Amino acid sequence: MAFIADNQLPLLLLFFLAGLIGTAFLFRKPAGHRAWRLADLVWVVLGGFGALAAVISGIYAADSSRLERQIDIAYAATAAFDRDAARFRLRFCDPAYDADIAVLCDKVEFLSASTAGNAELPLFIAVTDEVAPLRGLSLLFGGRAAAQQMQDMTATASAFDPQAFLVFTALDAPAQAAVDTLRRKVPAIVGDFLILARAYDDLIAHVAKLKDEWDYLQANAHILALQVIALCLVSFAAPFRLGKSIVELRRHG
């Protein structure tokens, strides 16, 4: 499949050239000959196969769009969490005037550090755009360097592990104890921290779903090869259909 994806345009041109050569031989046959009727049948069959492949690729494209939406959601959730965490630290942690508040500040700092790797989330968009149906053709004009860069990006995205970036628990035992103590003393701080904790849990869920969407898309990447094969067959059959039309025009002209 990698060979097909990396050589889409040459394969299309090769099959089209083969169709032209075959059509040139058929021009020896008169209009209405059985060979032209078979050529027309080949065009109908392969054209139908190409249409089916286009429908299937449309489903793949819809899955790609769903992945992009999930990327937007996860990235927005990351940005919102980082913004709220920074506001919390500025309000209550500079400096922390209580030991329990210091515990919550340390926890927020750890949670913020765990989301730093999520800055790579847009990488999924770049890779998805390039591996979507037919868009891989653009890689052919970028040479080997562009192809190698995209392979590296794909490998990086496939190795993306949400748990490697989101490794902290929002409410562990020390944080819960600090929350219980501060609930009586400074409920406003507790409220802001619990909002952050829930936002962090939601963020974990969004990023985990993002990885699931990516894995599903990669598992169905063979659809790309199916589409390219279908287009190659249509490219092969197109000259036969064109030749049949030319022969019939000559006969009636």
Side-chain angles (χ1 to χ4, degrees), residues 66 94 119 130 162 167 170 188 193 217 236:
R66 188 172 61 187
D94 194 20
E130 292 298 339
V167 295
F193 178 79
L217 202 63
F236 173 76

Side-chain angles (χ1 to χ4, degrees), residues 14 32 44 52 58 64 68 76 114 118-119 126 132 151 173 181 200 217 221 227 253:
L14 181 63
V44 171
L52 177 62
S64 300
E68 291 184 6
S114 74
N118 291 349
Q151 290 178 1
T181 302
Y200 185 80
L217 202 63
Q227 187 193 40

Side-chain angles (χ1 to χ4, degrees), residues 100 103-104 107 169-181 193:
D100 292 314
V103 171
L104 298 186
K107 175 56 65 175
T169 302
L171 273 175
D172 55 12
Q176 185 63 60
V179 165
D180 293 338
T181 302
F193 178 79

Side-chain angles (χ1 to χ4, degrees), residues 55-73 121-136 209-210 212-224 227:
V55 172
I56 297 175
S57 297
I59 298 174
Y60 186 93
D63 291 336
S64 300
S65 298
R66 188 172 61 187
L67 173 64
E68 291 184 6
R69 288 193 297 271
Q70 188 60 37
I71 292 169
D72 292 338
I73 292 172
L121 287 177
L123 174 66
F124 283 95
I125 296 179
V127 177
T128 303
D129 283 342
E130 292 298 339
V131 301
L134 291 183
R135 293 186 186 178
K209 184 176 181 182
L210 167 62
D212 290 341
E213 294 282 0
W214 168 261
D215 290 339
Y216 175 81
L217 202 63
Q218 292 303 295
N220 291 277
H222 59 276
I223 293 176
L224 301 180
Q227 187 193 40

